Amino acid sequence: MQELHDAPLAPLTTFRLGGPATRLVTATTDDEVIAAVREADAAGTPLLVIGGGSNLVIGDKGFDGTALRIATTGFHLDGTSLELAAGEVWTDAVTRTVEAGLAGIECLAGIPGSAGATPIQNVGAYGQEVSSVITEVVAYDRRAGETVTIPAAECDFSYRHSRFKQHPDRFVVLRVRFTLEDADGLSAPIKYPETARTLGVEAGDRVPAAVARETVLKLRAGKGMVLDPEDHDTWSAGSFFTNPILTGEEYAAFLARAQERLGADVTPPAFPAGDGMTKTSAAWLIDKAGFTKGYGAGPARISTKHTLALTNRGEATTEDLLALAREVVDGVREAFGVTLVNEPVTVGVAL
């Protein structure tokens, strides 16, 4: 277990932003993770758990406490059952399952970060979510002081949310277990319209899983959503805001505002979200509120490839990023009466 003091955290995040941690511990086994957590809890020291750093916004002052970087490894595939250590690189794990001819996470290719973060955020993209294939999550329960195995049914998964996100200071994910599908090398049914169009198939069709993976990687790269150190459009956390889910009353008010602003024939994106709720597009809201690709004059700007990504152009501070995020939130609220919610976790700062 490696330990550093006054350690920079910016290099551990995809934003490349944030000040140092008082102490940084890198754990390579589950026992080391648990030991570091127990030590911090026993001393009453604030604890920040870091995986791939792709969903973190750390304040410029850094973190006054112990930052625990989980660097555990373990990829175990038995038939269609997969177990990943929390520190496994997610996109590499996706590649290996596709190479094994299995379906279920092929459309989650290219998502940066670690496997342990996927159940926390209920990671999803292009018509797939990890909640549909996760069977169990093994975690250290800081409240109980023991390792627990939590069935998927008890993880309280919903859109970009889970029991682990609901109680961020309670569970530290150690391992994630999945059940994938053996469809003779084919993908799961294609659900996302953009993916289906690009593939030239109908929604519900299957294609070779490798083809689905490559198609998603190309779509993501075109939006600056595949990490590239030379491309500042990828110095981001991917989608910075979640897609708003509105009640029937809220959606009616939003539709009226949109038509008043943009014309009576305008129909914003709308997708059923259950229980009379409607999900709309954060990217559409941002764009139609006037925050187009490349918006911004400072070192933090909207991506030139996708309006949903806020980026560090190389010299930004966290405060630069937050100022842009607040400007977007205020502008969308003023234009459409909808309040955007940030997807990345903020540390020492808030919108």
Side-chain angles (χ1 to χ4, degrees), residues 7-203:
L9 294 181
L12 302 182
T13 74
T14 53
F15 266 123
R16 294 168 171 80
L17 294 176
T22 305
R23 177 172 175 257
L24 172 65
V25 173
T26 298
T28 58
T29 68
D30 289 353
D31 287 344
E32 288 181 354
V33 171
I34 293 169
V37 174
R38 284 177 170 167
E39 180 186 359
D41 288 348
T45 303
L47 180 70
L48 170 64
V49 177
I50 300 177
S54 60
N55 203 43
L56 275 181
V57 178
I58 299 173
D60 292 317
K61 293 182 179 179
F63 182 71
D64 186 10
T66 296
L68 170 60
R69 178 174 171 262
I70 297 182
T72 54
T73 58
F75 178 102
H76 302 289
L77 187 60
D78 182 8
T80 58
S81 298
L82 173 67
E83 180 182 278
L84 296 177
E88 280 289 323
V89 177
W90 174 253
T91 194
D92 292 348
V94 172
T95 299
R96 293 177 69 177
T97 65
V98 170
E99 290 173 345
L102 300 178
I105 56 175
E106 62 280 358
C107 290
L108 302 180
I111 294 177
S114 62
T118 61
I120 298 172
Q121 191 74 3
N122 185 17
V123 164
Y126 295 97
Q128 291 183 343
E129 285 184 332
V130 291
S131 58
S132 68
V133 290
I134 286 176
T135 55
E136 296 177 330
V137 177
V138 180
Y140 178 69
D141 184 342
R142 298 168 67 184
R143 183 183 301 173
E146 62 184 15
T147 300
V148 296
T149 299
I150 304 174
E154 297 177 17
C155 291
D156 299 335
F157 288 124
S158 59
Y159 173 63
R160 302 297 173 270
H161 201 69
S162 70
R163 180 181 183 181
F164 312 104
K165 190 172 182 179
Q166 177 88 21
H167 303 287
D169 296 326
R170 179 171 178 181
F171 298 103
V172 177
V173 175
L174 301 174
R175 298 187 171 267
V176 189
R177 295 173 180 150
F178 308 80
T179 294
L180 304 177
E181 180 186 5
D182 186 349
D184 294 324
L186 295 180
S187 69
I190 301 297
K191 296 180 180 180
Y192 198 69
E194 183 183 15
T195 313
R197 286 195 305 271
T198 304
L199 288 164
V201 300
E202 298 293 326

Side-chain angles (χ1 to χ4, degrees), residues 199-239:
L199 288 164
V201 300
E202 298 293 326
D205 288 349
R206 294 177 185 259
V207 300
V211 172
R213 173 185 169 275
E214 287 301 322
T215 298
V216 165
L217 285 173
K218 289 177 182 176
L219 288 171
R220 291 184 64 87
K223 299 173 183 178
M225 298 288 187
V226 177
L227 293 181
D228 179 353
E230 303 302 316
D231 182 0
H232 285 288
D233 278 333
T234 74
W235 290 32
S236 75
S239 300

